[in-house]
Amino acid sequence: MPQTSYELTVTDNKTAEKITQEGGNVQGVKWININADKGTIVVTHGEDYDEAAFKSIAGL
């Protein structure tokens, strides 16, 4: 399954939970991994991934 990585500083757990919860509802998203220490978000997704919708939710 494809993965896309983004650089984003997530400053608190509430923000990370919001991105994970709302981002999980985006078409094609299978899994979201947020690493606050590295400042990365990795999205595992299918071919039908709506990247624009995820970026909007994550503030990218």
Side-chain angles (χ1 to χ4, degrees):
M1 223 172 256
Q3 292 184 321
T4 303
S5 180
Y6 304 99
E7 291 185 22
L8 177 68
T9 301
V10 178
T11 57
D12 58 60
N13 286 337
K14 186 175 181 178
T15 301
E17 288 174 16
K18 178 181 180 272
I19 293 170
T20 301
Q21 183 176 31
E22 292 181 15
N25 293 325
V26 170
Q27 179 178 327
V29 172
K30 305 299 181 193
W31 179 260
I32 300 169
N33 184 5
I34 299 176
N35 186 322
D37 294 333
K38 291 184 179 182
T40 59
I41 299 174
V42 177
V43 180
T44 302
H45 55 82
E47 296 298 325
D48 59 342
Y49 174 46
D50 186 348
E51 184 173 18
F54 181 81
K55 284 181 166 183
S56 177
I57 289 167
L60 295 166

